Amino acid sequence: MAADVQWWARLAREVRAAGRGDLPVETPLRSVRDALGFDCAALVSGSRQRTTTVNLGYPADMLGYLTTTYRWKCPIHRRAARLGLPLRFVDVPDVHQTRTYREGIQPYGFREGVTLPLAPGAGPERSFVALSSTHDRPLDDGSVLALTMLSHDLAALADPGAEPGDPAADVVLFVSPGKVEVRSALPARLPLNEREARLAARCATAERTGFRHRDADGGWWRVLARARRPDGVLLRISRVPEPGPLTGRELDVVGLVARGWSNERISAALGIAVRTVRSHVESALVKLDCANRTALARHALEHDLDTLAALEAAHR
């Protein structure tokens, strides 16, 4: 199915808006799937740690194949990634003889499809879009060319709102006065609930952009807050290892020490005894090999040792 020029122009605007984090990533991907006549679409990121970013319609088993065997071993995908160009099934000689056809196409009733490698990147590390259909009509040449021209903008969908130096985000949320919206997400459960997301958006942008957060399951995340338009904040959330030797409460205390707070003020803000604060500070000094509170504060600022609890206390 071919789309007209006006539709491609609208799609380009959608893609760029989603790449900035102003729209959910699935919005332009759904437009591509539906307007070009495909049944399923998926955006697979360019990292071994982060796999599917968006899945629209692929069965779980097929999705698993796309993110593992297909991505790293399939000659169809490796050829597309090497060339940096969209590759249709119809363009692949003897496609019916390939493992991908036997394990990832035929069992699900797919008869045609496209692999679209996204720039930047190289080889299997590239992000890509997979499109599959149950009909056997190959995508027209004009649409293949248009997708090629959009590939650089589409690549931003794998990590919306990213700026130079940012770690790859597992979750991207947009917080506005009216609601909290998911822009891109991988975990089954979001690491921030709505109250926490609103608190992070309000506090983090007012002071510093990054902090550590432990979710309800005990997992640790790094949250970066970025202002978007007068009424919105983009939260880019990345999974991180446990914060070294520090406990969660020690992190809370260290975050407030980094703001120059006294033990007495920290005690009042966190609702714990002064002697407990003193104990946490002394423990952090030893664990982080810092000579004094000034060195501890500098270490905290350099390594983003801050928490949502510390931010909330500072802005309460």
Side-chain angles (χ1 to χ4, degrees):
M1 182 184 297
D4 60 29
V5 173
Q6 289 77 15
W7 180 85
W8 283 107
R10 289 195 301 273
L11 176 66
R13 290 193 294 270
E14 280 187 358
V15 169
R16 289 165 191 148
R20 295 191 301 268
D22 295 336
L23 283 177
V25 169
E26 70 173 50
T27 298
L29 195 64
R30 191 180 301 277
S31 296
V32 169
R33 183 195 67 175
D34 296 346
L36 299 184
F38 291 97
D39 297 291
C40 305
L43 172 64
V44 180
S45 74
S47 164
R48 287 181 183 267
Q49 287 71 42
R50 301 176 67 244
T51 53
T52 310
T53 303
V54 175
N55 174 35
L56 299 177
Y58 278 110
D61 288 348
M62 174 58 181
L63 189 65
Y65 184 83
L66 280 173
T67 57
T68 54
T69 304
Y70 180 76
R71 178 178 176 182
W72 296 102
K73 299 292 185 181
C74 174
I76 300 173
H77 181 259
R78 293 175 69 179
R79 178 183 174 193
R82 184 176 67 254
L83 295 174
L85 298 171
L87 195 63
R88 301 170 294 191
F89 293 167
V90 73
D91 298 326
V92 181
D94 301 320
V95 66
H96 293 81
Q97 307 303 317
T98 63
R99 177 181 177 183
T100 295
Y101 182 82
R102 295 192 303 271
E103 298 183 17
I105 299 175
Q106 189 178 35
Y108 303 99
F110 298 133
R111 301 174 66 188
E112 187 51 67
V114 174
T115 292
L116 173 63
L118 304 177
E125 289 290 346
R126 267 187 156 161
S127 300
F128 70 95
V129 171
L131 301 161
S132 299
S133 61
T134 54
H135 62 72
D136 60 1
R137 300 185 302 275
L139 189 64
D140 64 283
D141 292 340
S143 294
V144 170
L145 176 61
L147 286 174
T148 303
M149 295 174 68
L150 275 175
S151 65
H152 191 280
D153 291 324
L154 284 164
L157 303 186
D159 196 15
E163 296 182 6
D166 280 358
D170 295 282
V171 180
V172 180
L173 302 177
F174 184 77
V175 183
S176 64
K179 54 188 172 181
V180 176
E181 299 176 278
V182 176
R183 292 299 191 238
S184 177
L186 292 177
R189 191 161 93 178
L190 297 177
L192 295 172
N193 60 36
E194 184 171 347
R195 185 196 73 83
E196 291 168 336
R198 291 192 178 283
L199 179 63
R202 183 172 69 253
C203 297
T205 52
E207 187 173 333
R208 300 190 313 175
T209 61
F211 65 91
R212 306 294 176 99
H213 175 69
R214 182 167 54 187
D215 65 20
D217 298 324
W220 283 93
W221 305 81
R222 183 185 183 210
V223 182
L224 294 175
R226 298 276 164 68
R228 285 289 188 274
R229 303 196 303 260
D231 61 345
V233 174
L234 201 67
L235 298 180
R236 291 177 42 79
I237 308 171
S238 309
R239 191 182 294 276
V240 293
E242 290 189 13
L246 299 184
T247 66
R249 184 50 102 183
E250 286 170 349
L251 265 180
D252 297 337
V253 171
V254 167
L256 295 175
V257 168
R259 292 170 169 84
W261 286 26
S262 66
N263 289 349
E264 290 73 19
R265 189 178 180 189
I266 295 172
S267 166
L270 297 181
I272 56 179
V274 174
R275 65 177 179 276
T276 304
V277 175
R278 188 179 301 114
S279 175
H280 286 324
V281 172
E282 290 172 355
S283 176
L285 288 170
V286 172
K287 289 179 177 179
L288 299 178
D289 194 25
C290 293
N292 50 46
R293 290 174 74 100
T294 301
L296 180 61
R298 183 171 62 249
H299 182 93
L301 291 169
E302 290 174 349
H303 294 84
D304 249 353
L305 299 185
D306 202 3
T307 65
L308 191 55
L311 281 166
E312 184 176 18
H315 289 267
R316 185 174 298 142

